[in-house]
Amino acid sequence: MDAEPVGAGHRHLTWWMWTLAGALFLTYTALSLRIHQRILSNSYDLGIFEQVVRSYAEGRLPVSELKAPDFPVLGDHFSPVLALLAPFYRLCPTPGTLLVAQAALIAVSVLPLTAWARRELGTQAAAVIGVCYGLSWGIASAVGFDFHEVAFAVPLLSCSLAALGSGRLRVAACWALPLLLVKEDLGLTLAAIGLVIAGRGERRLGIITAVAGLAGSLLAILVALPAFNPAGSFAYWSFLDAPGGGSGGGKGGGLAELLYRSTVGLITPEVKVSTLLLVLAPTLFLALRSPLLWIALPTLLWRFASNNTVHWGTGYHYSLVLMPIVFAAFVDALVIRGSTARGLRRYLAGSVAISLLLLPQYPLWQLVQPATWRTDPRVAVAHRLLDRIPDNATVQASTLLVPQLTNRTSVSLYGWPQSRPNPSWIIVDTWTPWNKRWPLTIEQERNALAWDVEHGYLTVAAQDGFVLLTKPDQSHS
């Protein structure tokens, strides 16, 4: 079943597949860079990840001032794969490097899926599936919200699932193993891939893969992350409301809470069901007929078991890793079902219709909005004031200004309790929209600025809502 070696899939790639991948790359790049140019990217998470990659590029273990002074990020999430971006960042030390890399990683993931679909279903079907996948809402949400380490998982999953669907089970396992270096929860996804491999005939290989995935996640969560974390524990136990508190710091709730979260709590409130329906909708729910869909289960379980409401919906980057899984399951189900030409066209037409229906609701639609391509005059004002802050200075900035400074200063978040105290500079956008304002309300921010001025900071500039402060004795530090 493994006659085709790793890397042989490139022989099945045609000019139109490369063209599609290139067009998607340009689309993703244009959206993410334009968001950043308009000063709409965020401290959490683009600022954090740039500080991580900058640390690697400077030959240091990754830290993020945005989490806390000199906070070791390997104690937050286990993502050593980010070190791969360090050489590129050394060549071009800007947040744009991360955004372009993310666009490339996601765009290239269309290649294995379309190559597999072409072999099994024909060129027209492969092209339709590739376009629907590339424009899917889960990818759009991720591209429209900064950079995230899970972008590395997307091409790995795409290659692994295409190989798995083609019966190249050892190749599938090889592509999936690096998921252990992307993020701690993806070891569970690797375990699910192992179980599917076992179910498809390679029992020994599948069990080894599943054990490696489970062991990798447990080692990351129970050993590596607590070793690096200053608190000595995994930082996100509280999201799962660990019964009995313990070292995880959960709220408690006992057996009743555990039973609720593992049953009814997985489908309530209704936003969780809505998300699940939207995950499956582009495939007309045909993905349910493929065993490959089980690989999405670990991600869905931890999201729906979480007490963090942003994990439940369709925003941000949380559905990014689900897209290659659900579209691979779509291809697999079409192959298993053995649809007639007419039936295949009907499914593909339905997928296109749903994808087009959802497209205006998600960030890729911004590319056809005139406002996206207009530059607010305040952007130029912001950059003039930001340029007055010297390189390597310690700074506190409001959330949308942070990613404009992470490549050349030691910047933390204004108003965040864990930020480095007494920075040399403070810069705040007091006109930040309410839906982008964090962590301070307008009144809290106004009071904080007044307190800073009363305690020794001088106002360097105040223009168009931007306020720049400095401490005279530290302004050149």
Side-chain angles (χ1 to χ4, degrees):
M1 299 182 70
D2 285 303
E4 189 172 9
V6 176
H10 74 275
R11 294 195 296 267
H12 300 286
L13 301 178
T14 62
W15 67 269
W16 67 262
M17 296 177 190
W18 288 107
T19 301
L20 175 59
L24 292 172
F25 168 70
L26 293 176
T27 300
Y28 304 153
T29 300
L31 175 63
S32 57
L33 289 182
R34 190 61 190 146
I35 290 171
H36 182 67
Q37 289 165 358
R38 295 170 65 203
I39 311 187
L40 294 174
S41 49
N42 299 268
S43 59
Y44 281 51
D45 293 307
L46 181 57
I48 289 175
F49 284 114
E50 187 179 5
Q51 289 180 335
V52 170
V53 175
R54 182 182 172 187
S55 298
Y56 279 126
E58 294 173 352
R60 299 180 286 115
L61 285 176
V63 297
S64 175
E65 286 285 299
L66 287 161
K67 299 291 292 186
D70 297 319
F71 184 88
V73 178
L74 287 175
D76 187 55
H77 287 300
F78 189 72
S79 304
V81 71
L82 290 169
L84 294 178
L85 295 180
F88 303 99
Y89 191 82
R90 283 184 66 88
L91 292 173
C92 187
T94 72
T97 299
L98 278 66
L99 298 174
V100 171
Q102 175 172 260
L105 288 165
I106 298 174
V108 77
S109 70
V110 77
L111 296 174
L113 284 178
T114 51
W116 171 35
R118 178 175 174 269
R119 290 194 302 272
E120 302 288 352
L121 304 170
T123 298
Q124 290 183 344
V128 170
I129 291 169
V131 170
C132 290
Y133 166 73
L135 300 180
S136 59
W137 63 265
I139 287 177
S141 294
V143 172
F145 184 68
D146 299 344
F147 169 91
H148 297 89
E149 75 278 71
V150 291
F152 281 94
V154 179
L156 293 172
L157 282 169
S158 182
C159 289
S160 178
L161 295 171
L164 186 51
S166 302
R168 297 176 292 130
L169 304 184
R170 289 188 178 87
V171 175
C174 288
W175 277 113
L177 280 172
L179 291 172
L180 293 173
L181 303 178
V182 177
K183 200 177 175 201
E184 62 276 2
D185 64 288
L186 289 172
L188 302 179
T189 301
L190 174 60
I193 290 173
L195 294 178
V196 174
I197 289 174
R200 293 208 166 185
E202 286 279 1
R203 185 170 180 177
R204 183 172 180 272
L205 174 65
I207 292 174
I208 291 173
T209 303
V211 169
L214 182 60
S217 278
L218 290 175
L219 284 172
I221 293 171
L222 300 178
V223 179
L225 289 167
F228 282 100
N229 192 298
S233 65
F234 178 51
Y236 298 103
W237 284 126
S238 59
F239 283 170
L240 301 178
D241 275 344
S247 63
K251 294 178 182 179
L255 181 60
E257 174 72 13
L258 176 62
L259 289 173
Y260 173 80
R261 287 196 166 273
S262 60
T263 54
V264 177
L266 293 176
I267 56 173
T268 56
E270 60 274 10
V271 64
K272 298 177 182 178
V273 176
S274 298
T275 297
L276 185 58
L277 293 175
L278 283 173
V279 167
L280 297 170
T283 74
L284 279 70
F285 299 91
L286 192 64
L288 288 167
R289 298 192 180 191
S290 169
L292 297 186
L293 193 61
W294 287 105
I295 297 167
L297 191 60
T299 297
L300 290 169
L301 284 177
W302 77 253
R303 285 178 58 187
F304 292 168
S306 170
N307 62 19
N308 187 343
T309 58
V310 301
H311 292 159
W312 305 343
T314 60
Y316 308 104
H317 60 288
Y318 297 110
S319 296
L320 178 59
V321 298
L322 297 177
M323 294 299 103
I325 299 172
V326 74
F327 276 90
F330 186 34
V331 175
D332 192 49
L334 287 170
V335 174
I336 293 171
R337 195 174 187 276
S339 299
T340 63
R342 183 177 179 182
L344 179 60
R345 285 196 297 270
R346 188 162 54 244
Y347 277 113
L348 295 177
S351 182
V352 170
I354 292 174
S355 298
L356 291 177
L357 185 66
L358 293 174
L359 190 59
Q361 312 304 317
Y362 292 93
L364 289 179
W365 193 249
Q366 295 177 29
L367 291 172
V368 298
Q369 302 300 308
T372 301
W373 304 103
R374 288 196 294 264
T375 300
D376 189 331
R378 295 182 71 241
V379 171
V381 174
H383 282 294
R384 281 200 301 272
L385 297 185
L386 290 166
D387 288 344
R388 299 184 69 170
I389 300 174
D391 292 351
N392 301 314
T394 57
V395 188
Q396 283 189 17
S398 52
T399 185
L400 299 184
L401 296 176
V402 163
Q404 310 295 324
L405 290 164
T406 40
N407 67 324
R408 63 181 189 86
T409 69
S410 176
V411 60
S412 52
L413 184 62
Y414 187 67
W416 184 242
Q418 282 75 45
S419 290
R420 187 179 293 278
N422 302 314
S424 302
W425 295 81
I426 294 172
I427 185 164
V428 175
D429 180 2
T430 62
W431 293 358
T432 300
W434 68 269
N435 60 332
K436 291 281 190 176
R437 179 173 289 278
W438 180 78
L440 301 179
T441 65
I442 294 175
E443 183 176 359
Q444 288 172 337
E445 183 179 83
R446 185 184 302 118
N447 292 338
L449 288 171
W451 190 93
D452 289 327
V453 170
E454 290 175 4
H455 289 78
Y457 282 90
L458 298 180
T459 302
V460 177
Q463 183 179 356
D464 289 352
F466 296 104
V467 176
L468 178 64
L469 307 178
T470 188
K471 273 198 170 180
D473 58 331
Q474 298 184 43
S475 60
H476 299 292
S477 63

